[in-house]
Amino acid sequence: IIAHSMGGAAVTLALSRACKGTQSAESTLGAARLVFIAPPIDVRDFVVTVSSELGLSEPTRHALERVVEKRVGERIDDLHAVPLARNMTAPLLVIHDEQDRAVPIECGASLAEAWPGAELNRTQGLGHNRILRDPQAIARAVAFVRGRTARIDSTS
C-alpha cells in the first residue's frame, strides 16, 4: 500500500482495527509493506486546518468533528496515529519533505519513530504535493514495496 497524506492516517486506522481481530493486520488487508507519503498523525489537526482554509466558524468546526466521529465510529481523540502505530508490525517507509507546509515533517518523523522498524526518508524542496511526482521519491517507494533498497537524494 502506498498512501499520501490522510491516506496514511486511514490505513493506520484500518490496520489498528484489523489488529483487534483474530488475524494479523497484514494478512487481513493483504499488505506486506507500506509507504506513507507526508502522513498526518492527528485527525483533529486536519479538521482544524481544513476548517481554517474554508473559513468555517468554531461551532461549524466542532460539528465537522462530530460528523467525522460518527462516520468513523470512534472519538476523534482516539484517531491519533502515534498510539496506534506502536502495535503495528508491517514494514513502513515514511517519505516526508522538510518544507511540507500542509503536514509538518515532525508528523512523519513521530509516526516513523512510534512504528516498530519504520524508516523515515526526508526530502527537501518538494513540499506536500510535488513529492508525488518526484522520480526519486517514486523510485524509493516502489523499491520499498518490492522489498528492495533505493535511496532518495534528499537534496531534490
Side-chain angles (χ1 to χ4, degrees):
I1 294 174
I2 299 176
H4 176 246
S5 197
M6 280 302 293
V11 171
T12 301
L13 177 60
L15 284 171
S16 73
R17 287 179 173 177
C19 289
K20 292 177 184 174
T22 57
Q23 295 181 334
S24 72
E26 293 80 10
S27 64
T28 300
L29 297 179
R33 301 175 74 74
L34 310 169
V35 177
F36 292 170
I37 302 169
I41 55 174
D42 189 346
V43 174
R44 176 165 284 137
D45 288 344
F46 176 77
V47 170
V48 168
T49 299
V50 168
S51 297
S52 175
E53 288 176 0
L54 295 176
L56 302 180
S57 67
E58 189 169 331
T60 303
R61 179 178 58 81
H62 289 299
L64 179 57
E65 288 178 357
R66 288 190 299 278
V67 167
V68 169
E69 289 176 334
K70 184 176 181 182
R71 174 83 174 173
V72 174
E74 294 190 41
R75 293 177 342 115
I76 204 162
D77 292 336
D78 297 332
L79 300 177
H80 199 285
V82 169
L84 299 176
R86 292 185 181 119
N87 297 318
M88 299 298 161
T89 58
L92 171 67
L93 170 65
V94 175
I95 303 174
H96 212 128
D97 193 77
E98 292 183 358
Q99 284 80 40
D100 189 329
R101 289 182 290 191
V103 178
I105 192 165
E106 292 79 18
C107 292
S110 294
L111 184 64
E113 184 177 321
W115 193 295
E119 217 180 300
L120 174 66
N121 264 134
R122 297 171 180 259
T123 62
Q124 286 199 348
L126 298 175
H128 190 70
N129 292 312
R130 279 192 328 257
I131 196 169
L132 296 171
R133 295 182 302 277
D134 181 69
Q136 292 176 330
I138 293 167
R140 178 64 179 116
V142 170
F144 186 83
V145 296
R146 289 183 174 164
R148 300 184 189 131
T149 302
R151 285 309 209 198
I152 290 179
D153 176 6
S154 62
T155 58
S156 298

